[in-house]
Structures are given as structure tokens and as C-alpha cells.
Amino acid sequence: MIAIFVLGTSCTNDSLSESLETESTESPTEEEEPEVTTEDIPEQIACDNPTNFIFNEKDGLLLIEFENAVFTEDWKLKSEGSTDSEVTFMVWEGEQSLGNPGNGIATYKLKIENSGTYQFLWNSAIKIGDNGSDHNDTWLRFNDATDFYAQNGDGTSIVYPRDIGKTPNPEGASKDGWFKIYRSGNNLDFKWQSSTFDNNAHNVFVEFNEPGIYIMEISARSSGHAIDKFVLFNSSVSKSDAISSMNFSEITCN
């Protein structure tokens, strides 16, 4: 919005008025400023449509609410808990897609300022059944990152998604650059864990060699898998600080 303020003066002294009029006619004529119309103002994209969202990394951390994306109708937005501890999340209620990623895709644009390697984690829960090994995973892909891989806790094993020309690949489901990202344990409530490689949990990492905007994709796999939020953090941020942070990433629009 452009606000134009006009300052008015009032003068009752005739001689002063005549003097001012004489001075104004003798002074050089100033160039008039061009009139500003609404046509001259660039159109602004309203930053209320998730299609346009860009999530901005700051100081090595991205913290994002999972629901801030465009989802197909089989993803359902739900809430649980009291007012003080309410959790809002998305849960897949469509058909299982255990061997074929690409169903129920949602995307996130991530703006990276500090290049380097980031660990990925999300906070998820199981909403069907009582077995921590079922209904516990969703597909994940970073197709335009410099590298996307998983590593075990002591760093002795690194694996890559299938079909990107890199080996070794994990045991269990993987296809077309997608990792199956699972959580384990019979505590079915929300917890921070993101692993791949069946029966040999590997943590998930993404490498960005230069600043820029990168695309993160998720795809439905197990019905009943619910996701609340996710983080990416580099070596300047500890895991405990990343998952306890309340500073969600700034959202701008393209």
C-alpha cells in the first residue's frame, strides 16, 4: 500500500501571499514527479498458498511443519492432545504403496544458504494397529541434491537409493531414488526417528554443495503412518538442539 500525505498551510497576510506568489513565479520550475498508478506496482504473490512456499534454512537448521504442503485427498489433516500439547499432523489413509513410490506425492522447496551435509529426521507415529514394525514408513527423495545417502551409527556403512547409479544399496524397499524411511519400536506415539535399511538402521543424510533452492519429495507408503514435522541440520547444530527447537523456518514465496 502506498500512502500519500499532503501538508496544508493557511495564510491570512495578503502581502505575504503576494510575496510568495511572486517568488514562486520567478523560481525555476521543478520537474513534476510521475504519477504512480496501481499498474506500476509489481504484482505480489500472496504467501498463503503452500504451492509457493519456500522454507529458508538459517544457521544450519530447517524445521518445518509437515502439513505445510499440497497433499492428495488420501492424506488427512488431524489433531490430537490437549490445548497445551496439541499435535497437528498428516496421516496417510489411502492404499498401501509398499513397492511403488510415486503415490500421494507432496513437495517442499528448501532454500539452503549454508552448503554442506545435513541429517534428516522427522517426528512420526503409527495410527493403525499395535505393532511397531507395521504402518511405520513413508518414501523420501532428494532428486536434485548433490548427494542423498544413509549411514550407520559408526560410519562403517554407507548406502544409496536404488536406480541412481550408485552402490551399495540398502536391504529392503528402495526404487527410483527413493528411500523407505521408517521408525521402529512398540511405542507407537510420535517420536523423532528416520531410518532406512531393514534390520540395520542407517541414518539419512543430504548433501548440498552450494547455496540454492532444492526440492524434497515425500510419497505415501504405509497407511496409518502419521508425520508431524521434520528437520534438516548440519554439523553446527546438535541433534538434541534440532529436535527441541521451536524456531520454525521462515516461509517466503516465489
Side-chain angles (χ1 to χ4, degrees), residues 11 28 59 65 91 117-118 121 157 160 178-179 209 212 220 246:
C11 184
D59 298 330
E65 292 278 16
V91 59
T117 300
Y118 287 71
L121 283 168
S157 172
Y160 301 91
W178 296 90
F179 272 143
N209 270 3
M246 298 299 291

Side-chain angles (χ1 to χ4, degrees), residues 79-98:
S79 295
E80 289 181 354
S82 63
T83 303
D84 294 335
S85 59
E86 185 177 57
V87 177
T88 302
F89 56 89
M90 302 298 297
V91 59
W92 178 250
E93 294 188 348
E95 295 294 323
Q96 305 232 94
S97 188
L98 303 183

Side-chain angles (χ1 to χ4, degrees), residues 7-231:
L7 299 179
T9 60
S10 174
C11 184
T12 57
N13 188 315
D14 293 340
S15 61
L16 179 57
S17 299
E18 293 174 0
S19 173
L20 289 173
E21 291 173 2
T22 303
E23 288 176 5
S24 65
T25 55
E26 292 177 355
S27 300
T29 303
E30 295 183 0
E31 293 185 6
E32 293 184 1
E33 293 185 1
E35 181 181 358
V36 177
T37 68
T38 55
E39 295 180 355
D40 299 317
I41 303 172
E43 181 180 356
Q44 299 296 314
I45 297 176
C47 203
D48 56 5
N49 183 346
T51 302
N52 302 318
F53 285 179
I54 297 174
F55 302 92
N56 292 262
E57 171 261 320
K58 182 179 179 182
D59 298 330
L61 177 66
L62 279 153
L63 173 60
I64 298 169
E65 292 278 16
F66 188 76
E67 62 263 28
N68 282 338
V70 177
F71 294 90
T72 61
E73 62 182 9
D74 285 326
W75 282 102
K76 304 299 184 183
L77 179 65
K78 296 190 175 184
S79 295
E80 289 181 354
S82 63
T83 303
D84 294 335
S85 59
E86 185 177 57
V87 177
T88 302
F89 56 89
M90 302 298 297
V91 59
W92 178 250
E93 294 188 348
E95 295 294 323
Q96 305 232 94
S97 188
L98 303 183
N100 293 297
N103 187 28
I105 289 178
T107 63
Y108 303 81
K109 298 174 187 175
L110 312 179
K111 186 174 182 181
I112 302 297
E113 295 288 352
N114 294 284
S115 57
T117 300
Y118 287 71
Q119 184 173 350
F120 174 89
L121 283 168
W122 59 29
N123 189 36
S124 72
I126 296 171
K127 297 300 179 184
I128 292 179
D130 57 5
N131 189 330
S133 298
D134 297 332
H135 305 284
N136 66 336
D137 49 41
T138 295
W139 298 102
L140 175 70
R141 182 167 70 173
F142 286 86
N143 217 24
D144 59 358
T146 307
D147 210 356
F148 179 39
Y149 62 92
Q151 180 175 297
N152 65 353
D154 61 12
T156 58
S157 172
I158 295 178
V159 294
Y160 301 91
R162 297 184 188 277
D163 306 319
I164 65 169
K166 291 185 176 183
T167 57
N169 307 125
E171 294 293 332
S174 178
K175 185 178 180 179
D176 296 334
W178 296 90
F179 272 143
K180 175 186 76 173
I181 307 298
Y182 67 84
R183 46 148 295 157
S184 59
N186 287 324
N187 177 357
L188 309 185
D189 292 336
F190 283 97
K191 73 172 182 177
W192 289 96
Q193 184 188 17
S194 298
S195 302
T196 196
F197 201 129
D198 288 358
N199 304 309
N200 186 8
H202 281 48
N203 297 320
V204 179
F205 295 89
V206 192
E207 186 176 322
F208 307 106
N209 270 3
E210 58 185 39
I213 295 176
Y214 297 87
I215 303 299
M216 170 185 147
E217 299 171 280
I218 65 92
S219 175
R221 189 170 191 272
S222 292
S223 55
H225 189 221
I227 305 173
D228 167 30
K229 53 193 171 185
F230 62 89
V231 294

